């Protein structure tokens, strides 16, 4: 999968142990990682990490990392990484690590 001349904007590689593996190139990615917690005495799966990747209206590629907690009213974006989508001479990678409630 070394051909970067295709139209795909993102690549995802996932190893889910015994459940399987995924390796794909695509134009957008949404990943939710849930883990088991106990609330009100009952077990449930809670989304603890969310990763959202997409191309923005201005052509930038955007990857956001969001963390969640059952006691929080809002999710917390902990990273926002942006890059130019197709510009041939651009190696710009913008990284924002300022926590933002969303």
């Amino acid at each position: 999968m070394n051909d970067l001349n295709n139209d795909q904007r993102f690549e995802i590689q996932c190893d889910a142990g015994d459940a399987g593996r995924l390796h794909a190139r695509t134009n957008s990615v949404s990943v939710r990682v849930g883990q088991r917690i106990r609330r009100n005495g009952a077990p449930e799966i809670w989304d603890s990490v969310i990763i959202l990747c997409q191309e923005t209206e201005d052509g930038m590629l955007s990857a956001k990392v969001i963390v969640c907690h059952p006691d929080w009213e809002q999710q917390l974006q902990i990273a926002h990484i942006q890059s130019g989508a197709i510009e041939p001479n651009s190696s710009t990678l913008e990284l924002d690590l300022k926590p933002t409630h969303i």
Side-chain angles (χ1 to χ4, degrees), residues 44-87:
E44 67 178 75
I45 298 292
W46 181 265
D47 288 342
S48 55
V49 178
I50 301 170
I51 301 170
L52 303 173
C53 304
Q54 63 186 13
E55 185 171 356
T56 64
E57 289 181 13
D58 61 358
M60 295 291 284
L61 299 182
S62 169
K64 296 178 180 181
V65 180
I66 301 163
V67 293
C68 312
H69 192 284
D71 293 339
W72 298 348
E73 289 186 28
Q74 293 180 299
Q75 301 165 338
L76 185 64
Q77 178 180 294
I78 60 170
H80 186 195
I81 305 152
Q82 294 189 92
S83 64
I86 313 175
E87 298 179 28

Side-chain angles (χ1 to χ4, degrees), residues 34-47:
Q35 62 192 73
R36 185 156 64 173
I37 65 169
R38 185 170 295 277
R39 280 200 324 172
N40 302 322
E44 67 178 75
I45 298 292
W46 181 265
D47 288 342

Side-chain angles (χ1 to χ4, degrees), residues 89-102:
N89 297 322
S90 176
S91 61
T92 302
L93 190 66
E94 298 174 18
L95 180 61
D96 181 357
L97 297 176
K98 184 179 107 185
T100 305
H101 289 281
I102 56 172

